[in-house]
Amino acid sequence: MPTVIGAYWYHMITEEFMAVIEQAGLEPSLTNLHQLADVFADFKTRAAGAEAYKTAAEAAATRAETAANGVVTETASKIQEIDAEGDKQVKAVQDAGSTVSSDIEAGKTALQSKLTELIAQLDAEGGTEAAYVK
């Protein structure tokens, strides 16, 4: 035999519906017979709004990620440019150092040659003074 629904069941269901209506911030009305439908419609609207917000937030996150990746790529490119320029400057300093070293060696050779020449002159002059200078 089927169960007979008693008064308490009707009371319980009514209280459940009333709780949903009151939780939605509505005042229960004897004349409005679609309050529960209004609550669900409002819930559906808010859910759609939340979904739209979620979609917009995901799109913003994707744009931010794309921008961040662009910054990383640009930064890496700038670092490569700075490294290349630094390498050029190091090479220029090394080349200048080579030139200076060559100039110093040439100067030492010229001085050595001049000293040898002067010593030869002293030897040609002879005498005690030449021996002291040597």
Side-chain angles (χ1 to χ4, degrees):
M1 298 289 299
T3 304
V4 176
I5 298 175
Y8 182 77
W9 185 87
Y10 289 110
H11 173 72
M12 180 186 70
I13 293 299
T14 302
E15 287 300 316
E16 290 287 332
F17 288 159
M18 294 297 277
V20 170
I21 292 168
E22 289 171 354
Q23 286 291 317
L26 299 175
E27 184 70 31
S29 169
L30 294 174
T31 59
N32 185 351
L33 299 178
H34 54 80
Q35 283 184 295
L36 199 54
D38 291 344
V39 169
F40 290 128
D42 182 56
F43 177 78
K44 186 177 177 182
T45 301
R46 290 176 189 244
E51 186 64 31
Y53 180 75
K54 175 188 168 231
T55 301
E58 287 172 344
T62 299
R63 288 191 306 273
E65 181 181 13
T66 300
N69 288 339
V71 168
V72 168
T73 301
E74 186 176 342
T75 301
S77 173
K78 292 295 181 188
I79 288 171
Q80 288 176 341
E81 287 177 28
I82 290 168
D83 281 347
E85 190 58 35
D87 290 345
K88 286 180 190 175
Q89 290 179 3
V90 167
K91 176 136 176 50
V93 168
Q94 288 172 340
D95 291 347
S98 298
T99 302
V100 169
S101 294
S102 297
D103 290 348
I104 290 172
E105 287 302 316
K108 281 172 47 178
T109 302
L111 286 173
Q112 194 75 6
S113 174
K114 186 66 175 175
L115 184 59
T116 303
E117 185 182 311
L118 290 172
I119 289 173
Q121 282 179 349
L122 280 173
D123 283 341
E125 294 266 333
T128 326
E129 293 85 14
Y132 288 133
V133 172
K134 278 173 123 185

